[in-house]
Amino acid sequence: MTLRIGTIEAKKGQKAFGFVGSVDTRGRFSAHIPLHIVEGAASGPVLLVQAGVSGLEIEPAMILPKVVEDLDPRQISGTLLLVPLLNTSGFEFEQVNAVWDSKDLNALGRGKADGTVSERMIDAYYREIVAGTDALVDIHTGGLWGYYRYAGVYKTGDVQRSRELAVRSGLPQVLLGQPEDRSIAFEAAKDGKAVVSGWIGGGPGLRDFRDDDMRRVRNLVLNSMKHLRMLSGDLESDDGKVAVIDGHSVIGLPTERGFIFMAKEKRGTVVRAGEKIGYVRHPFTGDVIREILAPRNGVVLHAGAVIPMVPEDATLAILGDLMEERMLR
Amino acid sequence: MRVGSIEARPGTHVFGYLSVAKSRSGLSPDIPVHLFCGAKPGPTFLVQGAIHGDEIFGTIAILNFVSRLDPRKLRGNVIAVPVVNRMGFELGKRVCPIDGKDISRLFPGNAEGSVSDQIAYTYFEEVIKKANVMLDLHAGGLTGYERYVLFTAEKDPENHTELEKKCRRLVVAFGLDCAAFFPPGTFGGSGASRGKEAMDEAGVISFTVELGGGTGWFKNGEDNMRDEERGIWNIAKAMRMIDGDFEADGPFCTIYKADVVLWKPPYDGLYIRKKQFEHVKAGEVFASILDPYTGKELGHVYNTKDSTVVPGGQQWPTLGATSIVELGTPDEIVDRRTADLHVSFE
């Protein structure tokens, strides 16, 4: 029995690598998506792991191919499909969006068969890959500006299955009620698949936490496989604790622009409504021109932009109510 | 004390904008200037940030410094410029986006040139030439992380001029445990050399601090800002403009002769490098470049001489278009407990 996706073929107990979703651009470059297949010896679920949908969320690609390399398909039940870096043109030109048409690949839904280059590529990807999976782990980072460490779950589709997968991801916080968007992951959630967005790392932590974050990415993939009974073994995490948080507030930029300083030491703590969680300084006079306050009582997620000069659409903080604290094992 | 139309009387602090140029649509990238005129006479100290618009960390230290500096207790003048490249700062770009030029490479500027040339000209004439010391704060932008003081190599290593001797003292006085210089021909283009010559001719001691950067911000951001502000105060103390003891990382400052510059290799992918302060032997791998999809090693960047990684360079996993790191060997280790770090100006 041979698994065939596009031009990539893997027999039972084998691995394969190739590109899918190929669309030719005006200059006859191939816009396509790199895909690893690990076809287990025994039958089981299909898990898709994807990373780098933004061209600036590239650090997981430093470890994901190594995770594949270390897996023995003879020990696996089911199929692991892994995309280490989906937005290859954004990566090439160091930008969030695809360069062919300036499209944000996180905002194209499931693509469009007669659309732009990116829309056609995502359409092919969704039909050929995503539609046939049981579970999707969508790995994000904070890009150049943010630093993150949580697993997000949409309140759409099979929420319970997604939530259990997130709890077992190995990440210290689970956000229930990740804001709805037009991402591939949200479409997959609507289709009833178990979907987790793993938010791990980002540029501002790269110098000091790279090795830890690469381990977290590895844990996320292997823990997901273990939870889905594709792989045997114990779950791995930082300290075994997981806080499940029902998100209620996503804080973006205030009306005043300047240097924004968020109180990162408040991550993981409980803040009260009206408590100061950040402030804006005038970039030339240094005056504090706006305080950023918690809109409601809540737990602060390990999330958000931390560099003082952030893009216009940045998330500064996410708050929610603590639902439960669990041990991983 | 006067800079452009900004004027401060003795014992006062004034904030204003220095008019420099106008773009085709009428944007005026006028430069924000804090002017402190001390109650007593003394030298003039210029501290500037964000001449590369994405290197914003020194800017914050300058803002903290000016919020605490009391002109009534100051001898001489302080010109503090939080952002030189205002358009680059606006768009998060190293260069001035209006004409794509690096303002730091244009001094002494050209009054008849492009917007950046005009900015450099006016800034040089109105600001830099009035200073005895110019402290230029840089950082690693969003993709790097740095922690050292950089200065220009002395023309004759065996016989330093008075200006060069003062510069070394100030470099150590800043307070970091690491400093470096590039031997002639190692690094820096003709623009940097021309600017340095113009400053020497004007009698301005100039040096650069490379401190902070996006990739180390989460853990080190506050510490970097504190140490950078501490360094600005130290320079004012070294110039005898304010009273107080020096504060530093520790008693020693190692000055590296940074004679190894490693450049971007002909292949690209994901970049994994040695850590700062690691000793790397000649011929040893400094960095590996991985295929971003398969993880296979595409190649390596090899070190060319036994040396230590100067704390700087690219940390982000893609490479820029220029050098990726500097390594060096100790030229001098200065013990701050016994060294005289003060400098005097006639």
Side-chain angles (χ1 to χ4, degrees):
Chain A
M1 189 72 177
T2 300
L3 174 66
R4 181 176 292 115
I5 299 177
T7 58
I8 316 169
E9 287 184 1
K11 290 182 179 160
K12 288 278 184 195
Q14 285 188 344
K15 299 178 196 175
F17 172 78
F19 291 89
V20 293
S22 289
V23 174
D24 286 339
T25 70
R26 171 200 303 144
R28 312 315 289 172
F29 291 103
S30 184
H32 54 194
I33 295 170
L35 177 71
H36 290 269
I37 300 175
V38 183
E39 178 67 341
S43 58
V46 178
L47 168 66
L48 169 61
V49 175
Q50 65 180 31
V53 181
S54 158
L56 290 181
E57 297 178 12
I58 59 177
E59 305 100 294
M62 291 194 289
I63 187 68
L64 287 172
K66 179 75 176 147
V67 174
V68 170
E69 186 184 321
D70 292 345
L71 283 171
D72 180 353
R74 294 169 302 180
Q75 306 294 320
I76 290 171
S77 302
T79 305
L80 172 67
L81 305 175
L82 188 143
V83 176
L85 210 169
L86 193 145
N87 185 355
T88 58
S89 73
F91 165 70
E92 181 71 45
F93 293 94
E94 300 188 331
Q95 61 181 47
V96 171
N97 294 352
V99 78
W100 316 119
D101 47 15
S102 298
K103 297 284 186 185
D104 177 354
L105 303 187
N106 269 311
L108 300 180
R110 54 189 78 198
K112 197 173 168 192
D114 58 353
T116 67
V117 167
S118 293
E119 287 170 332
R120 286 157 56 205
M121 184 181 77
I122 295 300
D123 168 70
Y125 176 67
Y126 202 94
R127 283 187 291 101
E128 293 174 19
I129 313 289
V130 183
T133 61
D134 299 293
L136 168 62
V137 172
D138 185 24
I139 305 178
H140 291 269
T141 78
L144 284 166
W145 300 272
Y147 187 67
Y148 288 73
R149 207 176 285 167
Y150 75 87
V153 175
Y154 296 107
K155 282 186 178 172
T156 297
D158 194 337
V159 178
Q160 189 55 33
R161 221 155 54 92
S162 296
R163 175 175 172 162
E164 281 309 305
L165 182 59
V167 165
R168 290 167 180 275
S169 66
L171 290 166
Q173 294 177 321
V174 169
L175 170 67
L176 302 178
Q178 177 164 258
E180 295 185 0
D181 52 29
R182 294 216 62 229
S183 67
I184 296 163
F186 185 60
E187 294 297 318
K190 285 198 292 189
D191 285 351
K193 302 174 192 308
V195 173
V196 169
S197 301
W199 290 83
I200 303 173
L206 190 59
R207 175 183 182 269
D208 301 289
F209 306 113
R210 185 183 73 189
D211 294 344
D212 289 340
D213 287 332
M214 294 304 100
R215 180 175 44 76
R216 291 183 182 107
V217 170
R218 176 191 288 273
N219 287 346
L220 171 61
V221 177
L222 298 183
N223 286 351
S224 299
M225 294 178 73
K226 290 169 186 171
H227 173 68
L228 295 168
R229 301 186 189 283
M230 299 169 68
L231 191 65
S232 60
D234 293 333
L235 303 178
E236 302 285 342
S237 74
D238 288 0
D239 62 4
K241 293 178 189 165
V242 187
V244 180
I245 298 160
D246 192 8
H248 58 60
S249 305
V250 176
I251 298 168
L253 267 62
T255 50
E256 291 283 1
R257 296 292 185 271
F259 286 129
I260 296 177
F261 296 89
M262 297 303 294
K264 58 182 187 278
E265 71 279 4
K266 298 208 171 179
R267 293 181 176 201
T269 69
V270 176
V271 294
R272 303 207 316 196
E275 188 172 330
K276 185 172 144 186
I277 56 172
Y279 58 97
V280 185
R281 286 181 83 177
H282 189 290
F284 306 146
T285 68
D287 297 335
V288 175
I289 50 180
R290 177 63 63 93
E291 292 190 335
I292 299 169
L293 308 177
R296 286 173 55 180
N297 295 349
V299 179
V300 183
L301 266 95
H302 206 323
V306 288
I307 300 284
M309 197 162 67
V310 298
E312 283 289 304
D313 59 352
T315 293
L316 298 180
I318 303 173
L319 275 63
D321 296 322
L322 181 64
M323 305 297 288
E324 60 170 335
E325 288 184 292
R326 286 169 60 172
M327 295 304 292
L328 196 59
R329 295 195 180 112
Chain B
M1 179 66 181
R2 190 180 182 88
V3 168
S5 61
I6 312 161
E7 187 174 352
R9 289 178 297 162
T12 65
H13 163 212
V14 174
F15 172 78
Y17 291 87
L18 172 67
S19 296
V20 283
K22 264 200 176 156
S23 73
R24 72 165 72 98
S25 72
L27 286 176
S28 302
D30 297 346
I31 298 174
V33 175
H34 289 267
L35 198 55
F36 291 81
C37 183
K40 294 181 180 173
T44 297
F45 169 31
L46 164 63
V47 56
Q48 67 182 35
I51 197 164
H52 291 147
D54 59 343
E55 299 176 10
I56 58 170
F57 309 103
T59 301
I60 300 161
I62 291 173
L63 298 179
N64 292 340
F65 171 71
V66 299
S67 73
R68 289 187 254 269
L69 180 61
D70 183 350
R72 294 167 302 180
K73 295 178 180 169
L74 182 68
R75 292 182 285 273
N77 307 299
V78 170
I79 309 172
V81 181
V83 174
V84 178
N85 179 6
R86 195 165 157 201
M87 285 303 299
F89 171 81
E90 182 67 41
L91 299 181
K93 304 286 185 196
R94 175 185 174 91
V95 298
C96 175
I98 293 174
D99 54 15
K101 291 185 179 177
D102 181 341
I103 297 170
S104 75
R105 300 288 189 266
L106 300 177
F107 295 123
N110 177 3
E112 304 298 320
S114 69
V115 166
S116 293
D117 293 315
Q118 293 176 53
I119 291 171
Y121 175 80
T122 306
Y123 189 73
F124 189 80
E125 292 296 320
E126 287 290 333
V127 180
I128 293 175
K129 279 173 76 171
K130 291 178 177 164
N132 297 97
V133 172
M134 179 179 110
L135 172 57
D136 189 17
L137 301 180
H138 288 248
L142 286 172
T143 59
Y145 183 80
E146 324 264 356
R147 197 180 164 83
Y148 66 103
V149 185
L150 176 64
F151 65 104
T152 305
E154 291 87 359
K155 284 181 180 141
D156 178 354
E158 305 301 323
N159 190 17
H160 298 177
T161 66
E162 281 307 307
L163 227 55
E164 289 168 342
K165 285 178 190 170
K166 287 179 182 176
C167 185
R168 270 215 184 207
R169 285 187 178 196
L170 292 170
V171 162
V172 175
F174 187 83
L176 296 186
D177 60 6
C178 180
F181 64 86
F182 298 116
T186 314
F187 200 60
S190 58
S193 304
R194 195 167 52 246
K196 179 63 182 160
E197 281 169 19
M199 285 177 211
D200 285 348
E201 200 173 305
V204 182
I205 299 170
S206 63
F207 62 102
T208 297
V209 169
E210 297 278 1
L211 180 52
T215 53
W217 178 266
F218 189 80
K219 184 176 180 187
N220 311 289
E222 282 76 14
D223 290 348
N224 291 157
M225 295 312 98
R226 182 200 61 211
D227 295 344
E228 189 137 51
E229 186 194 346
R230 180 191 70 188
I232 301 170
W233 286 106
N234 280 341
I235 298 304
K237 290 171 188 172
M239 294 172 71
R240 302 183 194 279
M241 300 173 72
I242 56 167
D243 298 322
D245 296 329
F246 293 109
E247 295 175 32
D249 285 351
F252 300 107
C253 177
T254 303
I255 298 175
Y256 287 91
K257 178 180 176 182
D259 53 358
V260 179
V261 178
L262 300 182
W263 300 85
K264 182 178 181 296
Y267 34 82
D268 208 342
L270 291 172
Y271 157 75
I272 298 179
R273 55 165 277 177
K274 294 265 188 193
K275 291 188 165 50
Q276 297 170 347
F277 284 124
E278 272 194 69
H279 187 76
V280 190
K281 291 182 178 170
E284 194 179 334
V285 170
F286 168 76
S288 299
I289 313 295
L290 308 182
D291 182 299
Y293 313 134
T294 66
K296 293 200 165 36
E297 289 189 342
L298 298 171
H300 305 288
V301 178
Y302 293 96
N303 187 24
T304 55
K305 178 182 173 185
D306 285 12
S307 46
T308 301
V309 181
V310 173
Q314 182 84 351
Q315 303 275 341
W316 184 247
T318 58
L319 293 167
T322 177
S323 69
I324 56 174
V325 78
E326 294 86 38
L327 300 94
T329 49
D331 178 72
E332 183 185 7
I333 298 174
V334 181
D335 186 341
R336 293 189 175 94
R337 293 168 298 189
T338 54
D340 180 5
L341 302 178
H342 289 95
V343 293
S344 297
F345 298 91
E346 293 303 321

